[in-house]
Amino acid sequence: MTPDSALTADLGLARLRGATLAEVDAAAALQHRTDRKYLIGLDRARAFVEGLADTHHCLDLSGRRTTTYLSTYFDTPQLGAWRAHVQRRRHRWKVRTRLYAEDGLCRVEVKTKDGRGATVKHALRATPQSYGQLDSRAAEFIDDVLRRSAIPVTAESLAPAAEIRYVRAALADLRHGTRVTLDGALTCHQGHRAAGLAPDVVLVETKGGIRPAPADRLLLRLGARPVSLSKYIVGQSLLTPGLPDNDVRRLARTHFHPSPLPERTRAA
């Protein structure tokens, strides 16, 4: 069974009503949002999905209910993005190229924090062949976003720093405009080193407004608590020798483990 079909079965995604990408985007395409993250076991994740069945739809792409994501993150030689997050600086940022493998879609994305601590995501469509690279068009886009966000970093100073791969299911409350994602088969890669999320653990992210959504309240009832966790920060913390110890690394050590390098998923 492939990782995408395994996650569909493990979470019971077939129980939910399906929604098209256009429906999900129209109701819940939040570029300015508050993210909350939870690490939960599969049993709890199945109960969570079942508890959302009356209010949430599952993104359905011609019968496929999950998508394989490949994300290459870019950072400065001094790991400025990593350090800004670990040191909890007000002006945090991330730059990545993201490939939606089965669909052959690629985007350049820049994530920043606004003055209230909410995540703001900026995206530029790119060609699948440009995944993992920053061409002149991408560099111009990145420079513009970072300059407007008062972040003194340029695209010229950035280089690929780590790749994160995972399988994602996306759920949306079409009425209230909130979204939930569930990520499994998550691995972090840097050169010949790799680490993976334990196979019986799912990373859940709720994406909505300042106040917790019904999905957050359900997670609390199931015994889950929010964690401060970034996939890129975890990858760097676990795989880069010599980095100082930090809260992210201590949290990750309980859920991540060394992982063999799987064969790269190819775009459709």
Side-chain angles (χ1 to χ4, degrees), residues 160-224:
E163 184 181 58
I164 311 297
R165 309 174 194 171
Y166 53 95
V167 177
R168 167 168 287 184
L171 315 182
D173 183 335
L174 302 184
R175 180 180 176 186
H176 294 99
T178 57
R179 196 154 53 94
V180 176
T181 59
L182 300 100
D183 299 337
L186 193 158
T187 55
C188 311
H189 305 260
Q190 188 188 78
H192 297 291
R193 296 183 293 272
L197 184 65
D200 59 347
V201 176
V202 175
L203 174 59
V204 178
E205 299 184 38
T206 63
K207 307 165 191 292
I210 299 290
R211 294 184 177 182
D216 294 287
R217 294 194 288 273
L218 174 57
L219 284 163
L220 291 174
R221 290 197 298 273
L222 290 170

Side-chain angles (χ1 to χ4, degrees), residues 245-267:
D245 207 4
N246 55 79
D247 292 340
V248 172
R249 179 182 289 170
R250 287 189 286 271
L251 174 66
R253 281 173 178 163
T254 66
H255 298 287
F256 285 73
H257 53 79
S259 172
L261 285 171
E263 183 178 350
R264 178 187 292 273
T265 302
R266 296 187 179 276

Side-chain angles (χ1 to χ4, degrees), residues 52-71:
L52 296 179
D54 290 339
T55 57
H56 285 63
H57 290 65
C58 182
L59 175 62
D60 188 298
L61 300 166
S62 300
R64 192 184 80 240
R65 296 214 158 184
T66 61
T67 297
T68 304
Y69 282 55
L70 284 75
S71 298

Side-chain angles (χ1 to χ4, degrees), residues 204-245:
V204 178
E205 299 184 38
T206 63
K207 307 165 191 292
I210 299 290
R211 294 184 177 182
D216 294 287
R217 294 194 288 273
L218 174 57
L219 284 163
L220 291 174
R221 290 197 298 273
L222 290 170
R225 295 295 180 267
V227 296
S228 177
L229 187 70
S230 158
K231 300 180 188 72
Y232 168 61
I233 303 306
V234 165
Q236 284 289 6
S237 297
L238 293 178
L239 300 177
T240 301
L243 288 179
D245 207 4

Side-chain angles (χ1 to χ4, degrees), residues 66-81:
T66 61
T67 297
T68 304
Y69 282 55
L70 284 75
S71 298
T72 293
Y73 287 81
F74 295 79
D75 211 335
T76 66
Q78 298 77 28
L79 298 182

